[in-house]
Amino acid sequence: RVLAEPDAAAAWGTLGMAFETHEAGAEAAACYRRAMALDPDDARWPYLLAGRLNRGDPAEEEEALRLYRLAADLRPPTPAHRTTALLTLAERLTELGRGDEAVPLVEKAY
């Protein structure tokens, strides 16, 4: 689909998910970044990229948190997507000992 529609963010995001499924993380991240560039208002792509970066590498942790925040602020495909982004961000902040930042996110999700 990417070959047929190189400017379609959804095609790039779907390809990224396929790479993710086959444990091709670098390729998945590249696809999510391309999808974000093509449709910067869609919350799915920063959320998926954050999940890819959120694999325990401290160097990528702050970038993952930034992307989760972005996903929570952007247009979600459904209300459940926004709630998921908020709660995922709150969970990561809590795990990092930053519960004070997580509380308002949980309240917003609620």
Side-chain angles (χ1 to χ4, degrees):
R1 190 166 157 215
V2 167
L3 295 175
E5 301 176 68
D7 293 330
W12 283 98
T14 300
L15 180 59
M17 288 184 274
F19 278 129
E20 191 80 46
T21 298
H22 295 285
E23 300 181 13
E27 292 83 354
C31 290
Y32 298 147
R33 289 185 193 283
R34 180 69 179 141
M36 285 174 56
L38 291 169
D39 188 359
D41 295 325
D42 191 320
R44 293 175 293 176
W45 317 131
Y47 180 84
L48 290 169
L49 180 56
R52 164 91 317 258
L53 297 177
N54 189 21
R55 303 289 169 112
D57 182 350
E60 294 180 332
E61 186 66 47
E62 284 303 316
E63 178 66 3
L65 293 175
R66 184 189 72 76
L67 289 165
Y68 281 134
R69 280 189 180 93
L70 179 61
D73 290 340
L74 290 174
R75 175 189 82 234
T78 69
H81 281 82
R82 172 163 288 134
T83 301
T84 299
L86 287 167
L87 293 176
T88 302
L89 174 58
E91 179 182 29
R92 286 303 300 137
L93 288 167
T94 301
E95 289 169 354
L96 294 170
R98 295 163 60 177
D100 57 324
E101 293 176 60
V103 170
L105 297 170
V106 173
E107 290 171 348
K108 188 174 182 179
Y110 177 73

